[in-house]
Amino acid sequence: MQAAALEATLHACNEAATAAHVAFEEKAAKPPALRKHTYQQIKTRWNLGAQAAQHAIKKTCDAYTTLRANLRNGNYGKPGSKRYERAAGKPVTFRADAAQPYDDRMLSWQHKQRTVSIWTTAGRMKNVAFTGEPGQLAVVAAHRKGESDLLCRGGQWYLLVTCDIAEAEGNAHPVGFVGVDLGIVNIATTSTGKRHSGRRLNRRREADRELRTKLQQQNTKSAKRRARKHAGKEKRRARDINHKISKRIVVEANGGTSRASEAERGGAPVAESPWKT
């Protein structure tokens, strides 16, 4: 029942955001101008509350702002190219299950009870249980601020929370230090003599280079699509390896071993999902 209401809400909000194509046709890509054209229609047709309608409009405006920035920065190729014209020549659309922002008027938290009260198109749902790793729940209770995003992935429902945490002051008088030298054969070598080899990453780069060359030679639509998809995978793999190495160096610098096993695994435990369908 709860999952059905949340799913209907996501679909309605994203249909409303997609339907705000006036932003494309009238070039009304800022919230005040777009509200003038679409606010009442969105509220009536999709049964959205005032705040939900405002967020749908703002989401559309933000999407066009991002699109213009990508076009300006050449992320879709040069003006006049097929990819550029394809991106610039049609309205922005949203997936039916794309994330929807919630502010404090639409979503309230009861941290002690571990429940939320959340707005849906079927009415306000109260006492909706959520869960997570204890440390994460404590951070949310103490530092949550601003909007949260409702998201569904693989049949599980999540609230992506924004937390505002002040940075701790740096230690101006450290007891010791660890020097780090960056390289290619060894990605990082610390002053304690520990090396973090880049052999695995370099092997993968060589394989990626061969695949990229092969796809460029084929020069078909499917090959270009596969090359773009693989380029993102390359970046994510390199970022993941660098992140794991940096965590190991931090553990070594702190002289602690309590979280070393987590660093070797590549991260802290993943939080449980708030809701399951």
Side-chain angles (χ1 to χ4, degrees):
M1 190 72 177
Q2 291 179 343
L6 293 172
E7 183 178 11
T9 300
L10 270 193
H11 289 182
C13 290
N14 285 304
E15 285 179 11
T18 297
H21 51 75
V22 175
F24 176 79
E25 297 173 351
E26 303 292 337
K27 300 188 183 302
K30 292 187 177 181
L34 193 53
R35 276 197 295 268
K36 177 182 176 182
H37 290 288
T38 62
Y39 178 70
Q40 287 299 332
Q41 176 192 0
I42 285 176
K43 282 189 63 179
T44 304
R45 181 175 176 182
W46 282 280
N47 191 30
L48 300 187
Q51 291 301 113
Q54 299 275 20
H55 282 298
I57 291 170
K58 184 177 183 300
K59 184 161 69 171
T60 302
C61 294
D62 290 345
Y64 277 99
T65 299
T66 302
L67 175 62
R68 288 197 302 270
N70 284 327
L71 291 171
R72 186 169 57 250
N73 295 332
N75 295 336
Y76 290 106
K78 296 180 180 180
S81 66
K82 288 184 178 180
R83 190 180 176 204
Y84 183 99
E85 295 302 325
R86 186 164 60 246
K90 62 181 181 181
V92 170
T93 59
F94 295 88
R95 300 189 316 274
D97 60 349
Q100 174 65 16
Y102 274 71
D103 59 25
D104 287 344
R105 296 184 184 181
M106 304 167 65
L107 175 69
S108 59
W109 299 74
Q110 297 80 45
H111 294 285
K112 290 184 178 179
Q113 295 80 12
R114 290 194 181 180
T115 61
V116 294
S117 172
I118 187 169
W119 174 87
T120 71
T121 52
R124 191 90 177 185
M125 283 201 314
K126 299 182 178 180
N127 301 319
V128 180
F130 69 89
T131 187
E133 190 270 326
Q136 295 172 340
L137 294 177
V139 171
V140 170
H143 301 288
R144 186 196 66 80
K145 186 176 182 180
E147 296 179 353
S148 304
D149 287 347
L150 178 67
L151 178 68
C152 182
R153 283 292 179 269
Q156 297 181 342
W157 290 89
Y158 298 86
L159 280 170
L160 307 184
V161 182
T162 302
C163 293
D164 187 3
I165 304 175
E167 292 187 10
E169 292 186 9
N171 183 2
H173 305 286
V175 176
F177 61 88
V178 174
V180 181
D181 180 45
L182 305 180
I184 297 177
V185 176
N186 293 313
I187 294 179
T189 303
T190 65
S191 56
T192 60
K194 190 167 184 179
R195 297 179 180 179
H196 299 275
S197 174
R199 188 180 301 115
R200 176 188 168 198
L201 183 58
N202 290 334
R203 283 202 301 265
R204 290 300 309 173
R205 282 176 175 165
E206 182 63 31
D208 291 335
R209 192 178 300 111
E210 292 177 0
L211 176 60
R212 189 163 54 247
T213 301
K214 180 180 177 181
L215 293 174
Q216 288 173 348
Q217 290 174 346
Q218 291 178 358
N219 197 32
T220 61
K221 287 186 177 180
S222 61
K224 293 177 181 177
R225 184 168 57 248
R226 186 180 173 191
R228 287 195 298 269
K229 182 178 179 181
H230 192 75
K233 186 176 180 181
E234 269 186 79
K235 293 179 181 178
R236 290 191 297 272
R237 184 193 305 116
R239 185 167 59 243
D240 178 62
I241 292 174
N242 291 334
H243 176 65
K244 289 177 179 177
I245 290 175
S246 66
K247 289 190 69 173
R248 292 170 188 162
I249 292 174
V250 170
V251 170
E252 181 184 356
N254 287 334
T257 58
S258 60
R259 298 185 65 84
S261 59
E262 286 184 10
E264 291 297 323
R265 290 197 304 268
V270 178
E272 299 177 22
S273 61
W275 306 299
K276 295 182 180 179
T277 57

